[in-house]
Every structure is written in C-alpha cells, then in structure tokens.
Coordinates of all heavy atoms in Angstrom, one line a residue:
I20 N -19.1 -40.1 -83.1 CA -20.0 -39.7 -84.2 C -20.6 -38.4 -83.9 O -21.3 -38.4 -82.8 CB -21.0 -40.8 -84.5 CG1 -20.3 -42.1 -84.9 CG2 -22.0 -40.4 -85.6 CD1 -21.3 -43.3 -85.0
P21 N -20.4 -37.4 -84.6 CA -21.0 -36.1 -84.3 C -22.6 -36.2 -84.4 O -23.1 -36.9 -85.2 CB -20.5 -35.2 -85.4 CG -19.3 -35.8 -85.9 CD -19.5 -37.3 -85.8
R22 N -23.2 -35.5 -83.5 CA -24.7 -35.5 -83.4 C -25.2 -34.0 -83.6 O -24.5 -33.1 -83.2 CB -25.1 -36.0 -82.1 CG -24.7 -37.4 -81.8 CD -25.2 -37.8 -80.4 NE -24.7 -39.2 -80.2 CZ -24.7 -39.7 -79.0 NH1 -25.1 -39.0 -77.9 NH2 -24.3 -40.9 -78.8
T23 N -26.4 -33.9 -84.0 CA -27.0 -32.6 -84.0 C -27.3 -32.2 -82.6 O -27.4 -33.1 -81.7 CB -28.3 -32.6 -84.9 OG1 -29.3 -33.4 -84.2 CG2 -28.1 -33.0 -86.3
L24 N -27.6 -31.0 -82.3 CA -27.9 -30.5 -81.0 C -29.2 -31.2 -80.5 O -29.3 -31.7 -79.4 CB -28.1 -29.0 -80.9 CG -28.5 -28.5 -79.5 CD1 -27.4 -28.8 -78.5 CD2 -28.6 -26.9 -79.6
E25 N -30.2 -31.3 -81.4 CA -31.4 -32.0 -81.0 C -31.2 -33.4 -80.7 O -31.8 -33.9 -79.7 CB -32.4 -31.8 -82.2 CG -33.8 -32.4 -81.9 CD -34.7 -32.3 -83.1 OE1 -35.3 -31.1 -83.2 OE2 -34.9 -33.2 -83.8
T26 N -30.4 -34.1 -81.4 CA -30.1 -35.6 -81.2 C -29.4 -35.7 -79.8 O -29.7 -36.6 -79.0 CB -29.3 -36.2 -82.3 OG1 -30.1 -36.0 -83.5 CG2 -29.0 -37.6 -82.1
F27 N -28.4 -34.8 -79.6 CA -27.6 -34.9 -78.4 C -28.5 -34.6 -77.2 O -28.5 -35.4 -76.2 CB -26.5 -33.8 -78.4 CG -25.8 -33.7 -77.1 CD1 -24.8 -34.6 -76.8 CD2 -26.1 -32.6 -76.2 CE1 -24.1 -34.4 -75.6 CE2 -25.4 -32.5 -75.1 CZ -24.4 -33.4 -74.7
Q28 N -29.4 -33.6 -77.2 CA -30.3 -33.3 -76.1 C -31.3 -34.4 -75.9 O -31.6 -34.8 -74.7 CB -31.0 -32.0 -76.4 CG -30.1 -30.8 -76.3 CD -30.7 -29.5 -76.6 OE1 -31.7 -29.4 -77.4 NE2 -30.2 -28.4 -76.1
S29 N -31.8 -35.1 -76.9 CA -32.7 -36.2 -76.8 C -32.0 -37.4 -76.1 O -32.6 -38.0 -75.2 CB -33.2 -36.6 -78.2 OG -34.0 -37.7 -78.0
H30 N -30.8 -37.6 -76.5 CA -30.0 -38.7 -75.9 C -29.8 -38.5 -74.4 O -30.0 -39.4 -73.6 CB -28.6 -38.8 -76.6 CG -27.7 -39.8 -75.9 ND1 -27.8 -41.1 -76.0 CD2 -26.6 -39.5 -75.2 CE1 -26.8 -41.7 -75.3 NE2 -26.1 -40.7 -74.8
W31 N -29.4 -37.2 -74.0 CA -29.2 -36.9 -72.6 C -30.4 -37.0 -71.8 O -30.4 -37.5 -70.7 CB -28.5 -35.6 -72.5 CG -27.0 -35.7 -72.4 CD1 -26.1 -35.4 -73.4 CD2 -26.3 -36.2 -71.3 NE1 -24.9 -35.7 -72.9 CE2 -24.9 -36.2 -71.6 CE3 -26.6 -36.6 -70.0 CZ2 -23.9 -36.6 -70.8 CZ3 -25.6 -37.0 -69.1 CH2 -24.3 -37.0 -69.5
K32 N -31.5 -36.6 -72.4 CA -32.8 -36.6 -71.7 C -33.2 -38.1 -71.4 O -33.5 -38.4 -70.2 CB -33.9 -36.0 -72.5 CG -35.2 -35.9 -71.8 CD -36.3 -35.2 -72.7 CE -37.6 -35.2 -72.0 NZ -38.6 -34.5 -72.8
E33 N -33.0 -39.0 -72.3 CA -33.3 -40.4 -72.1 C -32.3 -41.0 -71.1 O -32.7 -41.7 -70.2 CB -33.1 -41.2 -73.4 CG -34.3 -41.1 -74.3 CD -34.2 -42.0 -75.5 OE1 -33.7 -43.1 -75.4 OE2 -34.5 -41.5 -76.6
S34 N -31.0 -40.6 -71.2 CA -30.0 -41.2 -70.3 C -30.2 -40.8 -68.9 O -30.1 -41.6 -68.0 CB -28.6 -40.7 -70.8 OG -28.3 -41.2 -72.0
L35 N -30.6 -39.5 -68.7 CA -30.8 -39.0 -67.3 C -32.0 -39.6 -66.6 O -32.1 -39.7 -65.4 CB -30.9 -37.5 -67.3 CG -29.6 -36.8 -67.7 CD1 -29.8 -35.3 -67.8 CD2 -28.5 -37.2 -66.7
L36 N -33.0 -40.2 -67.4 CA -34.1 -40.9 -66.9 C -33.8 -42.3 -66.5 O -34.6 -43.0 -65.8 CB -35.3 -40.8 -67.9 CG -35.9 -39.4 -68.1 CD1 -36.9 -39.5 -69.2 CD2 -36.5 -38.9 -66.8
D37 N -32.7 -42.9 -67.0 CA -32.3 -44.3 -66.8 C -31.7 -44.4 -65.4 O -30.7 -43.8 -65.1 CB -31.3 -44.7 -67.9 CG -30.9 -46.1 -67.8 OD1 -31.0 -46.8 -66.7 OD2 -30.5 -46.7 -68.8
P38 N -32.3 -45.2 -64.5 CA -31.7 -45.4 -63.2 C -30.4 -46.0 -63.1 O -29.7 -46.0 -62.1 CB -32.8 -46.2 -62.5 CG -33.5 -47.0 -63.5 CD -33.5 -46.1 -64.7
N39 N -29.9 -46.6 -64.3 CA -28.6 -47.2 -64.3 C -27.5 -46.3 -64.8 O -26.3 -46.6 -64.9 CB -28.6 -48.4 -65.2 CG -29.5 -49.5 -64.7 OD1 -29.4 -49.9 -63.6 ND2 -30.5 -49.9 -65.6
V40 N -27.9 -45.0 -65.1 CA -26.9 -44.0 -65.5 C -26.7 -43.1 -64.3 O -27.6 -42.6 -63.7 CB -27.5 -43.2 -66.7 CG1 -26.6 -42.0 -67.0 CG2 -27.6 -44.1 -67.9
F41 N -25.4 -42.8 -64.0 CA -25.0 -41.9 -63.0 C -24.3 -40.8 -63.7 O -23.2 -41.0 -64.2 CB -24.1 -42.6 -62.0 CG -24.8 -43.7 -61.2 CD1 -24.8 -45.0 -61.7 CD2 -25.3 -43.4 -60.0 CE1 -25.5 -46.0 -61.0 CE2 -26.0 -44.5 -59.3 CZ -26.0 -45.7 -59.8
A42 N -24.8 -39.6 -63.7 CA -24.2 -38.5 -64.4 C -24.2 -37.2 -63.4 O -25.2 -37.0 -62.7 CB -25.0 -38.1 -65.6
K43 N -23.1 -36.5 -63.4 CA -23.0 -35.4 -62.6 C -22.3 -34.2 -63.4 O -21.4 -34.4 -64.2 CB -22.0 -35.7 -61.4 CG -22.5 -36.8 -60.5 CD -23.7 -36.4 -59.7 CE -24.1 -37.5 -58.7 NZ -25.2 -37.1 -57.9
A44 N -22.8 -33.0 -63.1 CA -22.1 -31.8 -63.6 C -20.8 -31.6 -62.8 O -20.8 -31.9 -61.6 CB -23.0 -30.6 -63.5
I45 N -19.8 -31.1 -63.4 CA -18.6 -30.8 -62.7 C -18.5 -29.2 -62.6 O -18.5 -28.5 -63.6 CB -17.3 -31.3 -63.5 CG1 -17.4 -32.8 -63.6 CG2 -16.0 -30.9 -62.8 CD1 -16.4 -33.4 -64.6
L46 N -18.4 -28.8 -61.4 CA -18.4 -27.3 -61.1 C -17.0 -27.0 -60.4 O -16.6 -27.7 -59.6 CB -19.5 -26.9 -60.2 CG -20.9 -27.2 -60.7 CD1 -21.9 -26.8 -59.6 CD2 -21.2 -26.5 -62.0
V47 N -16.5 -25.9 -60.8 CA -15.3 -25.4 -60.2 C -15.6 -23.9 -59.8 O -15.9 -23.1 -60.7 CB -14.0 -25.5 -61.0 CG1 -12.8 -24.8 -60.4 CG2 -13.7 -26.9 -61.4
D48 N -15.6 -23.6 -58.5 CA -15.9 -22.2 -58.1 C -17.3 -21.8 -58.6 O -17.5 -20.7 -59.2 CB -14.9 -21.2 -58.5 CG -13.5 -21.5 -57.8 OD1 -13.5 -22.0 -56.7 OD2 -12.5 -21.2 -58.5
D49 N -18.2 -22.8 -58.6 CA -19.6 -22.6 -59.0 C -19.7 -22.4 -60.5 O -20.8 -21.9 -61.0 CB -20.3 -21.4 -58.3 CG -20.5 -21.7 -56.8 OD1 -20.8 -22.9 -56.5 OD2 -20.4 -20.8 -56.0
Q50 N -18.7 -22.7 -61.3 CA -18.7 -22.6 -62.8 C -18.8 -24.0 -63.4 O -18.0 -24.8 -63.0 CB -17.5 -21.8 -63.3 CG -17.5 -20.4 -62.9 CD -18.6 -19.5 -63.5 OE1 -18.8 -19.6 -64.6 NE2 -19.3 -18.8 -62.6
F51 N -19.7 -24.2 -64.3 CA -19.7 -25.5 -65.0 C -18.5 -25.6 -65.9 O -18.2 -24.8 -66.7 CB -21.0 -25.5 -65.9 CG -21.1 -26.8 -66.7 CD1 -21.6 -27.9 -66.2 CD2 -20.7 -26.7 -68.0 CE1 -21.7 -29.1 -66.9 CE2 -20.8 -27.9 -68.8 CZ -21.3 -29.1 -68.2
V52 N -17.8 -26.8 -65.7 CA -16.6 -27.1 -66.5 C -16.7 -28.4 -67.2 O -15.8 -28.8 -67.9 CB -15.3 -26.9 -65.7 CG1 -15.1 -25.5 -65.2 CG2 -15.2 -27.9 -64.6
G53 N -17.7 -29.2 -66.9 CA -17.8 -30.5 -67.5 C -18.8 -31.4 -66.9 O -19.6 -31.0 -66.1
I54 N -18.7 -32.7 -67.4 CA -19.6 -33.7 -66.9 C -18.8 -35.0 -66.7 O -17.8 -35.2 -67.3 CB -20.8 -34.1 -67.9 CG1 -20.2 -34.5 -69.2 CG2 -21.7 -32.9 -68.0 CD1 -21.2 -35.1 -70.2
V55 N -19.3 -35.9 -65.8 CA -18.7 -37.2 -65.6 C -19.9 -38.1 -65.4 O -20.9 -37.8 -64.8 CB -17.8 -37.2 -64.3 CG1 -18.5 -36.9 -63.1 CG2 -17.0 -38.5 -64.2
S56 N -19.7 -39.4 -66.0 CA -20.9 -40.3 -65.9 C -20.4 -41.7 -66.0 O -19.3 -42.0 -66.5 CB -21.8 -40.0 -67.1 OG -21.2 -40.2 -68.3
C57 N -21.2 -42.6 -65.4 CA -21.1 -44.1 -65.6 C -22.4 -44.5 -66.2 O -23.5 -44.1 -65.8 CB -20.9 -44.8 -64.2 SG -19.3 -44.6 -63.6
F58 N -22.3 -45.5 -67.1 CA -23.5 -45.9 -67.8 C -23.2 -47.3 -68.4 O -22.1 -47.7 -68.7 CB -23.8 -44.9 -69.0 CG -22.7 -44.7 -69.9 CD1 -22.5 -45.4 -71.0 CD2 -21.7 -43.7 -69.6 CE1 -21.4 -45.2 -71.9 CE2 -20.7 -43.4 -70.4 CZ -20.5 -44.2 -71.5
P59 N -24.3 -48.1 -68.5 CA -24.2 -49.4 -69.1 C -24.1 -49.3 -70.7 O -24.8 -48.5 -71.3 CB -25.4 -50.2 -68.7 CG -26.4 -49.1 -68.5 CD -25.7 -47.9 -68.0
S60 N -23.2 -50.1 -71.2 CA -23.1 -50.2 -72.7 C -22.7 -51.6 -73.1 O -21.6 -52.1 -72.7 CB -22.1 -49.2 -73.2 OG -22.0 -49.3 -74.6
E61 N -23.6 -52.3 -73.8 CA -23.3 -53.7 -74.2 C -22.9 -54.6 -73.1 O -22.0 -55.4 -73.2 CB -22.3 -53.7 -75.3 CG -22.7 -52.9 -76.6 CD -21.7 -52.8 -77.7 OE1 -20.7 -53.5 -77.6 OE2 -21.9 -52.0 -78.6
G62 N -23.6 -54.4 -71.9 CA -23.4 -55.3 -70.8 C -22.2 -55.0 -69.9 O -21.9 -55.7 -69.0
V63 N -21.5 -53.9 -70.2 CA -20.4 -53.4 -69.5 C -20.6 -52.0 -69.0 O -21.1 -51.2 -69.7 CB -19.1 -53.5 -70.3 CG1 -17.9 -52.9 -69.6 CG2 -18.8 -54.9 -70.9
T64 N -20.2 -51.7 -67.7 CA -20.3 -50.4 -67.2 C -19.2 -49.5 -67.7 O -18.0 -49.9 -67.6 CB -20.3 -50.3 -65.7 OG1 -21.4 -51.1 -65.2 CG2 -20.4 -48.9 -65.1
Q65 N -19.5 -48.4 -68.4 CA -18.5 -47.5 -68.9 C -18.4 -46.3 -68.1 O -19.4 -45.9 -67.4 CB -18.9 -47.1 -70.4 CG -19.1 -48.3 -71.3 CD -17.8 -48.9 -71.7 OE1 -16.8 -48.2 -71.8 NE2 -17.8 -50.2 -72.0
L66 N -17.3 -45.6 -68.1 CA -17.1 -44.3 -67.5 C -16.7 -43.3 -68.5 O -15.9 -43.6 -69.3 CB -16.1 -44.4 -66.4 CG -15.9 -43.2 -65.6 CD1 -15.8 -43.5 -64.1 CD2 -14.7 -42.4 -66.0
G67 N -17.3 -42.1 -68.5 CA -16.9 -41.1 -69.4 C -16.9 -39.7 -68.8 O -17.5 -39.5 -67.8
Y68 N -16.2 -38.8 -69.4 CA -16.2 -37.5 -68.9 C -15.9 -36.5 -70.1 O -15.3 -36.9 -71.1 CB -15.3 -37.3 -67.7 CG -13.8 -37.5 -68.0 CD1 -13.0 -36.5 -68.5 CD2 -13.3 -38.8 -67.8 CE1 -11.7 -36.8 -68.8 CE2 -11.9 -39.0 -68.1 CZ -11.1 -38.0 -68.6 OH -9.8 -38.3 -68.9
W69 N -16.3 -35.3 -69.9 CA -15.9 -34.2 -70.8 C -15.6 -33.0 -69.9 O -16.3 -32.7 -69.0 CB -17.1 -33.8 -71.7 CG -16.8 -32.6 -72.5 CD1 -16.2 -32.5 -73.7 CD2 -17.1 -31.2 -72.1 NE1 -16.1 -31.2 -74.1 CE2 -16.7 -30.4 -73.1 CE3 -17.8 -30.7 -71.0 CZ2 -16.8 -29.0 -73.1 CZ3 -17.9 -29.3 -70.9 CH2 -17.4 -28.5 -72.0
I70 N -14.4 -32.4 -70.2 CA -13.9 -31.3 -69.4 C -13.6 -30.1 -70.4 O -13.0 -30.4 -71.4 CB -12.6 -31.6 -68.6 CG1 -12.8 -32.8 -67.7 CG2 -12.1 -30.4 -67.9 CD1 -13.7 -32.5 -66.5
D71 N -14.1 -28.9 -70.1 CA -13.8 -27.8 -71.0 C -12.3 -27.6 -71.0 O -11.6 -27.7 -70.0 CB -14.5 -26.5 -70.3 CG -14.6 -25.4 -71.3 OD1 -14.4 -25.5 -72.5 OD2 -14.8 -24.2 -70.8
K72 N -11.8 -27.3 -72.2 CA -10.4 -27.3 -72.5 C -9.6 -26.4 -71.5 O -8.5 -26.8 -71.0 CB -10.1 -26.9 -73.9 CG -8.6 -27.2 -74.3 CD -8.5 -27.1 -75.8 CE -7.1 -27.6 -76.2 NZ -6.9 -27.7 -77.6
P73 N -10.1 -25.2 -71.1 CA -9.3 -24.4 -70.2 C -9.1 -25.0 -68.8 O -8.2 -24.7 -68.0 CB -10.1 -23.1 -70.0 CG -10.9 -23.0 -71.3 CD -11.2 -24.4 -71.7
A74 N -9.9 -26.1 -68.5 CA -9.8 -26.8 -67.2 C -8.9 -28.0 -67.3 O -8.7 -28.7 -66.3 CB -11.2 -27.2 -66.7
W75 N -8.4 -28.3 -68.4 CA -7.5 -29.5 -68.6 C -6.2 -29.3 -67.8 O -5.7 -28.2 -67.5 CB -7.1 -29.7 -70.0 CG -8.2 -30.1 -71.0 CD1 -9.5 -30.3 -70.7 CD2 -8.0 -30.5 -72.3 NE1 -10.2 -30.7 -71.8 CE2 -9.3 -30.8 -72.8 CE3 -6.9 -30.5 -73.2 CZ2 -9.5 -31.2 -74.2 CZ3 -7.1 -30.9 -74.5 CH2 -8.4 -31.2 -75.0
G76 N -5.7 -30.5 -67.3 CA -4.4 -30.5 -66.6 C -4.4 -30.0 -65.2 O -3.3 -29.7 -64.7
K77 N -5.5 -29.9 -64.6 CA -5.6 -29.3 -63.3 C -6.1 -30.4 -62.3 O -6.4 -30.1 -61.1 CB -6.5 -28.1 -63.2 CG -6.0 -27.0 -64.1 CD -7.0 -25.8 -64.1 CE -6.4 -24.7 -65.0 NZ -7.3 -23.6 -65.1
G78 N -6.3 -31.6 -62.7 CA -6.7 -32.7 -61.8 C -8.2 -32.7 -61.6 O -8.7 -33.5 -60.8
I79 N -8.9 -31.9 -62.3 CA -10.4 -31.8 -62.1 C -11.1 -33.1 -62.5 O -12.0 -33.6 -61.8 CB -10.9 -30.6 -62.9 CG1 -10.4 -29.3 -62.3 CG2 -12.5 -30.5 -62.9 CD1 -10.6 -28.0 -63.2
A80 N -10.8 -33.6 -63.7 CA -11.4 -34.9 -64.1 C -11.1 -36.0 -63.1 O -11.9 -36.8 -62.8 CB -10.9 -35.2 -65.5
T81 N -9.8 -36.1 -62.7 CA -9.4 -37.1 -61.8 C -10.3 -37.0 -60.5 O -10.8 -38.1 -60.0 CB -7.9 -37.0 -61.4 OG1 -7.2 -37.1 -62.6 CG2 -7.5 -38.0 -60.4
Q82 N -10.4 -35.9 -59.9 CA -11.2 -35.7 -58.7 C -12.7 -36.0 -59.0 O -13.3 -36.7 -58.2 CB -11.1 -34.3 -58.2 CG -11.8 -34.0 -56.9 CD -11.2 -34.9 -55.7 OE1 -10.1 -35.3 -55.8 NE2 -12.0 -35.1 -54.7
A83 N -13.2 -35.6 -60.1 CA -14.6 -35.9 -60.5 C -14.9 -37.3 -60.6 O -15.9 -37.9 -60.1 CB -15.0 -35.1 -61.7
V84 N -14.0 -38.1 -61.2 CA -14.1 -39.5 -61.4 C -14.1 -40.2 -60.0 O -14.9 -41.0 -59.7 CB -13.0 -40.1 -62.3 CG1 -12.9 -41.6 -62.2 CG2 -13.2 -39.7 -63.7
K85 N -13.1 -39.8 -59.1 CA -13.1 -40.4 -57.8 C -14.4 -40.2 -57.0 O -14.9 -41.1 -56.4 CB -11.9 -39.8 -57.0 CG -10.5 -40.2 -57.5 CD -9.4 -39.5 -56.7 CE -8.1 -39.9 -57.1 NZ -7.0 -39.3 -56.4
L86 N -14.9 -38.9 -57.1 CA -16.1 -38.6 -56.4 C -17.3 -39.4 -56.9 O -18.1 -39.9 -56.2 CB -16.4 -37.1 -56.4 CG -15.5 -36.3 -55.6 CD1 -15.7 -34.8 -55.9 CD2 -15.7 -36.5 -54.1
L87 N -17.4 -39.6 -58.3 CA -18.5 -40.3 -58.9 C -18.4 -41.8 -58.5 O -19.4 -42.4 -58.1 CB -18.5 -40.2 -60.4 CG -19.6 -40.9 -61.1 CD1 -21.0 -40.3 -60.7 CD2 -19.4 -41.0 -62.6
L88 N -17.2 -42.3 -58.5 CA -17.0 -43.8 -58.2 C -17.4 -44.1 -56.7 O -17.7 -45.2 -56.4 CB -15.6 -44.3 -58.5 CG -15.4 -44.3 -60.0 CD1 -13.9 -44.7 -60.3 CD2 -16.3 -45.2 -60.8
D89 N -17.3 -43.1 -55.8 CA -17.7 -43.2 -54.5 C -19.2 -43.4 -54.4 O -19.8 -44.0 -53.4 CB -17.3 -42.0 -53.6 CG -15.9 -42.0 -53.3 OD1 -15.2 -43.0 -53.4 OD2 -15.4 -40.9 -52.9
E90 N -20.0 -42.9 -55.4 CA -21.4 -43.0 -55.4 C -22.0 -44.2 -56.2 O -23.2 -44.6 -56.0 CB -22.0 -41.7 -56.0 CG -21.8 -40.5 -55.2 CD -22.5 -39.3 -55.7 OE1 -23.5 -39.5 -56.4 OE2 -22.0 -38.2 -55.5
V91 N -21.2 -44.7 -57.1 CA -21.7 -45.8 -58.0 C -21.7 -47.2 -57.2 O -20.6 -47.5 -56.7 CB -20.9 -45.8 -59.3 CG1 -21.3 -47.0 -60.1 CG2 -21.0 -44.5 -60.0
P92 N -22.8 -47.9 -57.2 CA -22.8 -49.2 -56.5 C -21.9 -50.2 -57.3 O -21.7 -50.1 -58.4 CB -24.2 -49.6 -56.5 CG -25.0 -48.7 -57.4 CD -24.1 -47.5 -57.7

C-alpha cells in the first residue's frame, strides 16, 4: 500500500525504536543502496529488504540478509 512520505517516515521512526526490529542500511563502497530488516508481524518474524534497482543481480541482498541473520537472535 503506497504511503505518503510523512507516513513512511513516521512508521520507520516507530519501527527503529522497537527493540524487536533489526534494521540495517546496506552500503556498497560507502554508498547507500538499500535496507534489510527483520521485524515481528502478527506473531511471526518477517524479513524484508529493499535494494536500489542499479544494484540488483549482484548478490548484494543475499549478502545483506546473511549478515543480518548472523545478528538476529
């Protein structure tokens, strides 16, 4: 469901304050290319990510997910 920028920013602010949410920026050569996160939803831990389209197909998301899962209890 599309959100306004204000709604999106409010959602992220709340999410990042939640100790059950694990979210990381994905950087390649010090450039931001996406995010990866684990978060509870309806009693189940979900995993999500967003990668900037020019970074698709390079294994970046796969590596980011592996690194995040090493940190999630």
Side-chain angles (χ1 to χ4, degrees):
I20 300 172
R22 300 177 182 165
T23 65
L24 178 59
E25 183 178 281
T26 302
F27 174 79
Q28 289 175 334
S29 175
H30 169 77
W31 265 103
K32 184 177 179 180
E33 281 184 41
S34 295
L35 293 174
L36 293 173
D37 184 335
N39 297 307
V40 172
F41 297 85
K43 301 287 184 179
I45 301 171
L46 304 176
V47 175
D48 297 327
D49 294 324
Q50 295 293 313
F51 176 81
V52 297
I54 58 169
V55 62
S56 62
C57 282
F58 52 92
S60 178
E61 299 178 9
V63 177
T64 300
Q65 302 286 330
L66 183 135
Y68 61 88
W69 171 86
I70 302 290
D71 195 19
K72 197 167 187 173
W75 289 7
K77 299 177 181 177
I79 295 167
T81 300
Q82 184 64 22
V84 167
K85 287 178 182 178
L86 290 170
L87 181 67
L88 292 177
D89 285 343
E90 294 184 27
V91 176

